[in-house]
Amino acid sequence: MDPASAATASAARTDAALSFLSVNTASAPQSATANAARDDSAAAEPNRSLSVASLSSVSAESDSGVPGFELDGVPITFRRAALEEVIGLRHEILKPGKFIKPYKQDAEPGTIHFGAFAEGKAVGCATYFLTMRDDRRAWKMRGVATSTPLAGRGIGSRLLACAEEQLRRDPAAQPPAVTVWAIARTDATVFYLKVGWRPEGEVYEVPNVGPHLRIMKELPLALSSS
């Protein structure tokens, strides 16, 4: 497919997704649309993970590249996080009423977590782990959540910007871009489209869970400082 046709097809998929979502999210509760990753899709699609170290040159304490801000006078900061810092929030928002259970990829050395913090407590989280897509290294995103009282106030978009800034530095990425993808519930997909993600394929139903859409984003590689 030539570039012009590919761009037209991509735009058509985005328009179709937006049209579907504008109808199907109109009556969704605020807590559902504000929290960006209702990702009950772990069993919806198999993926091949890469158990290799990642981003080893980027310290967990390094500058996130995203400035903090204040909500109601409380500073919000963004950084890489340990699993134990974010799993409580992830469980509270995405799996309420169920036993806390880590993702199987949480234990893999290539997995990284990011958090938004207010007064030392996680108020936002996201997890990324390595997979292969079309024989290329890629990152799958799961477990994106924002504390319900703070949802819809800019934490989610800033948190993803923090994560994407660091993923762009992946030393093993294949030029020209780092691929990030996810399987999102349709009540969260409008959020993703607004921050630069695009849909792939059609909306489909996950039994006993609801409609989902596969989404992806290409992150231009950061220029090397060497």
Side-chain angles (χ1 to χ4, degrees), residues 22-203:
S22 66
V23 173
N24 287 272
T25 62
S27 59
Q30 177 64 26
S31 60
T33 55
N35 281 296
R38 298 292 187 174
D39 66 344
D40 304 281
S41 54
E45 180 174 326
N47 55 76
R48 294 172 290 159
S49 296
L50 301 177
S51 296
V52 296
S54 62
L55 295 176
S56 58
S57 62
V58 181
S59 165
E61 298 301 322
S62 67
D63 181 8
S64 69
V66 176
F69 74 121
E70 289 191 359
L71 281 181
D72 303 326
V74 178
I76 310 294
T77 58
F78 304 88
R79 61 172 173 82
R80 286 179 64 177
L83 174 62
E84 56 267 26
E85 291 183 289
V86 298
I87 193 171
L89 175 68
R90 188 170 79 185
H91 171 263
E92 173 189 344
I93 300 300
L94 301 180
K95 303 288 184 180
K98 299 181 180 180
F99 290 109
I100 296 179
K101 182 180 180 180
Y103 300 147
K104 64 179 182 180
Q105 295 87 0
D106 283 334
E108 295 180 355
T111 297
I112 51 178
H113 310 279
F114 293 89
F117 294 89
E119 299 180 331
K121 179 181 179 180
V123 294
C125 61
T127 293
Y128 296 79
F129 57 88
L130 285 166
T131 66
M132 293 292 289
R133 274 174 47 104
D134 302 323
D135 296 321
R136 290 176 58 88
R137 175 185 174 98
W139 294 89
K140 183 176 181 182
M141 180 179 71
R142 284 192 71 189
V144 182
T146 302
S147 178
T148 299
L150 300 177
R153 303 184 66 184
I155 289 176
S157 58
R158 288 176 171 87
L159 177 61
L160 296 193
C162 165
E164 291 169 7
E165 179 60 30
Q166 294 206 23
L167 293 177
R168 291 175 62 234
R169 307 180 202 177
D170 181 355
Q174 297 165 276
V178 176
T179 299
V180 186
W181 66 285
I183 299 174
R185 288 175 61 151
T186 54
D187 60 12
T189 310
V190 167
F191 165 83
Y192 290 112
L193 297 180
K194 287 180 178 178
V195 293
W197 292 64
R198 64 178 176 82
E200 289 190 305
E202 306 297 329
V203 173

Side-chain angles (χ1 to χ4, degrees), residues 2 21 63 216:
D2 62 84
L21 294 167
D63 181 8
M216 64 90 66

